[in-house]
Amino acid sequence: EAEQQVDDSTILDADATEILEVLEHRIRPSVQEDGGDVQLKSWDRSTGEVVLCLQGACRGCPQSAVTLQESILKTLQHFVPDVTSVRSEEERNDGTDPTADLPWSHCGAPAKQQIQQLVMAGTPIFSTFAGTKVEGAKLRRIAFMSEIRLEGRTPEHIFVTCSDCKAKRTIEDPQDLLRADKGNATGNAAVAICPTCCVLITP
């Protein structure tokens, strides 16, 4: 288990020490159960603001904002009354770790004909909600696409944000979608992130 790291600019006063204890024993265990993690980045005693670094599955998760305000903030305030607010900063990857989670800004270009060609060639299109294939009328509605090339990277999650509608989706274990032993003969896969858009994943 990773040890808590604090930004050098943070002075470890009594409140900061208590915040670390609450994070370690009251908050992180439940967050880690869902594949994520949180670390204390900074604590501003003058404003009461706690800044946390989101890691793992928390990065880009649509529920992370709710978790911050409804769970983490209330828990911190219960044990450390001087805490007035909490916000997050997502962990940044310098690009050297091939297994690091990938953020992806989806800018869907019109590609209805290309999508039809991919489907005819056998490329599966999955739903982010149930992990099942999109077929029939729902498949025919998809008309916009962006493409992620993994280029040897093996992320556990791809965190997709639509630049137009601001929707956020998490693609878990993208390599699993490309596996030939699970019936994918094309080596490519697409994931529908909304009724009209998909993200194409290629090796």
Side-chain angles (χ1 to χ4, degrees), residues 102-107 146-149 158-162 199:
L102 293 178
W104 180 254
S105 178
H106 169 76
C107 299
S146 63
E147 180 180 354
I148 299 175
R149 297 184 180 183
I158 298 175
F159 300 112
V160 182
T161 302
C162 179
V199 175

Side-chain angles (χ1 to χ4, degrees), residues 87-151:
R87 65 180 177 87
S88 66
E89 289 185 1
E90 293 187 353
E91 182 184 40
R92 294 180 180 179
N93 171 39
D94 61 7
T96 61
D97 183 0
T99 65
D101 294 334
L102 293 178
W104 180 254
S105 178
H106 169 76
C107 299
K112 194 170 185 65
Q113 184 175 355
Q114 184 182 357
I115 294 169
Q116 292 174 345
Q117 292 173 345
L118 287 169
V119 171
M120 291 178 63
T123 297
I125 298 182
F126 296 96
S127 165
T128 56
F129 297 102
T132 56
K133 289 184 179 180
V134 179
E135 299 176 324
K138 292 182 179 180
L139 178 59
R140 290 191 291 271
R141 290 182 62 188
I142 299 176
F144 301 90
M145 184 174 71
S146 63
E147 180 180 354
I148 299 175
R149 297 184 180 183
L150 296 179
E151 298 178 333

Side-chain angles (χ1 to χ4, degrees), residues 41-42 51-55 87-92:
K41 182 173 178 63
S42 65
V51 180
L52 300 175
C53 179
L54 300 185
Q55 301 171 326
R87 65 180 177 87
S88 66
E89 289 185 1
E90 293 187 353
E91 182 184 40
R92 294 180 180 179

